[in-house]
Amino acid sequence: PIGSADYFDDDIVVRFTEFVRTVYGDANIDENLNFIANALYPNGGGSAKDKIRRYFLNDFYKDHVKIYQKRPIYWLLESGKKDGFKALIYLHRYDKYTIARARTDYLHPLQHKYEAEIKRLEMLSVSTDNAREKAAYRKEIETLQGKIEECRVYDQVVAHIAHQQIEIDFDDGVVANYAKFQDVKVPRDNGKTETMDLLAKM
């Protein structure tokens, strides 16, 4: 998962930090993370982890697709512009249950985490008389509500694909396999269908 915060123990920034710690040791972890962050965004604000998270949220997949000439080996599950849900899957570890696991292990728990965070922010808002703090809490709550709604809509295509248990054939190549998860006709209760993408557009 690629989240706007450390919502999971295996969030990509958590895992990346552990990778740097394992390779270069714990003694210089802050120095190494700062070096990486400043290489990514020399003029950007925020902490090293903020910059690294921003890169994974906004720029990593674009760079990955470009490097692999639109034949990515990592595929990005993406709910939309509000970054409600993002998760990378490694193509060569994909099986027909991968999407179902992404739904039950990450997408649904993340929605509950957003709801819990909203309750926490509402309690903080009630407990303060500071108008500026209240406005900041309200803005965060509205952002999270937008993410929840985006996830709710995205869950429709995730569920549809998960139930199909789609197999992929590596001999067909990335482009043909990727297409199996894009422009998906998702059935609606009124008998109509809506075209949706499971993966980020390349």
Side-chain angles (χ1 to χ4, degrees):
I2 306 174
S4 54
D6 293 348
Y7 289 112
F8 295 98
D9 292 338
D10 57 350
D11 171 86
I12 198 163
V13 177
V14 175
R15 294 292 295 272
F16 180 77
T17 302
E18 288 305 310
F19 166 77
V20 174
R21 179 178 282 111
T22 300
V23 174
Y24 298 106
D26 195 51
N28 299 314
I29 184 67
D30 292 335
E31 182 181 345
N32 286 322
L33 290 176
N34 282 327
F35 176 83
I36 294 165
N38 290 331
L40 293 171
Y41 301 112
N43 303 315
S47 69
K49 286 188 179 179
D50 288 341
K51 290 181 179 181
I52 292 168
R53 185 171 299 284
R54 191 185 323 148
Y55 175 70
F56 279 117
L57 273 171
N58 301 328
D59 297 317
F60 168 80
Y61 200 65
K62 289 183 284 187
D63 289 347
H64 179 66
V65 168
K66 184 177 179 181
I67 289 168
Y68 281 84
Q69 300 178 332
K70 295 193 174 182
R71 306 292 191 277
I73 60 171
Y74 286 100
W75 290 0
L76 180 64
L77 300 169
E78 182 180 61
S79 61
K81 294 180 180 179
K82 295 180 180 179
D83 294 333
F85 180 77
K86 285 188 175 184
L88 288 170
I89 58 174
Y90 181 49
L91 172 60
H92 295 285
R93 287 187 178 176
Y94 174 89
D95 63 40
K96 63 182 181 180
Y97 306 113
T98 298
I99 306 305
R101 287 196 301 270
R103 184 177 186 235
T104 57
D105 294 353
Y106 296 105
L107 179 56
H108 289 173
L110 182 60
Q111 290 172 274
H112 296 314
K113 289 173 188 286
Y114 286 153
E115 290 165 357
E117 180 64 5
I118 286 173
K119 288 179 181 177
R120 187 186 74 85
L121 291 168
E122 286 174 340
M123 288 176 62
L124 289 172
S125 179
V126 169
S127 67
T128 182
D129 294 325
N130 186 301
R132 183 175 294 179
E133 288 180 356
K134 280 185 179 293
Y137 292 140
R138 175 49 51 191
K139 185 176 180 181
E140 286 186 63
I141 288 168
E142 288 174 358
T143 297
L144 290 170
Q145 287 171 335
K147 289 178 185 289
I148 289 173
E149 177 58 20
E150 186 177 82
C151 286
R152 187 193 65 77
V153 173
Y154 183 62
D155 186 51
Q156 296 166 8
V157 68
V158 177
H160 184 66
I161 293 289
H163 291 147
Q164 290 185 45
Q165 298 186 351
I166 294 173
E167 302 270 13
I168 62 176
D169 187 338
F170 294 120
D171 292 336
D172 293 339
V174 170
V175 173
N177 283 307
Y178 207 88
K180 295 177 181 179
F181 303 93
Q182 302 298 84
D183 296 322
V184 178
K185 304 293 185 187
V186 180
R188 288 281 178 258
D189 293 336
N190 59 9
K192 296 182 179 180
T193 61
E194 182 177 349
T195 301
M196 303 176 74
D197 290 330
L198 180 78
L199 305 172
K201 289 188 180 295
M202 287 199 288

